[in-house]
């Protein structure tokens, strides 16, 4: 298994344990824990020298942002990634 596969597997295992232990946790605490896990996976990827692949349709999203079509960019980002509205809005705003 290549380095990216190992890092992805570790990330999935961590995600599984977060979900399994979430019975009595608040949404805010789960969000905080998920953010910490994402930071750890990012560090593992950086340490392994693995670059995160670009998002699907990233060029299209960037082009829409540059054209001033922020709402359309958010829609395309959501379609491409499957994330919610708030996360897509935040991601698109970071491109501006």
């Amino acid at each position: 298994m290549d380095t990216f596969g190992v890092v992805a597997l570790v990330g999935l295992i961590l995600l599984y344990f977060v979900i399994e232990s979430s019975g009595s946790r608040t949404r805010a605490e789960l969000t905080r824990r998920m953010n910490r896990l994402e930071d750890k996976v990012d560090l593992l990827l950086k340490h392994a020298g693995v670059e995160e692949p670009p998002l699907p349709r990233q060029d299209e999203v960037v082009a829409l942002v540059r054209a001033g079509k922020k709402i359309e960019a958010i829609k395309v980002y959501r379609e491409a990634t499957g994330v919610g509205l708030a996360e897509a809005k935040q991601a698109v705003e970071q491109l501006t």
Side-chain angles (χ1 to χ4, degrees):
M1 183 178 290
D2 63 353
T3 305
F4 184 76
V6 171
V7 172
L9 180 61
V10 169
L12 289 174
I13 291 170
L14 290 172
L15 178 60
Y16 170 78
F17 283 113
V18 167
I19 292 170
E20 284 299 311
S21 67
S22 65
S24 63
R25 301 195 191 268
T26 65
R27 181 177 179 95
E29 184 177 352
L30 288 174
T31 300
R32 183 187 60 77
R33 290 185 69 189
M34 183 61 72
N35 289 337
R36 286 187 65 216
L37 286 172
E38 288 175 351
D39 290 343
K40 289 177 182 182
V41 170
D42 288 342
L43 284 173
L44 287 171
L45 288 171
K46 182 178 178 181
H47 181 73
V50 177
E51 290 188 30
E52 189 172 347
L55 294 171
R57 300 175 70 184
Q58 183 173 357
D59 293 339
E60 184 179 355
V61 172
V62 170
L64 287 167
V65 169
R66 288 183 180 158
K69 298 179 179 182
K70 184 175 160 184
I71 293 174
E72 291 177 41
I74 292 169
K75 181 180 177 184
V76 170
Y77 188 91
R78 288 187 71 197
E79 290 171 357
T81 62
V83 300
L85 179 60
E87 188 176 345
K89 182 178 181 282
Q90 181 181 14
V92 167
E93 286 176 348
Q94 289 177 354
L95 295 174
T96 60

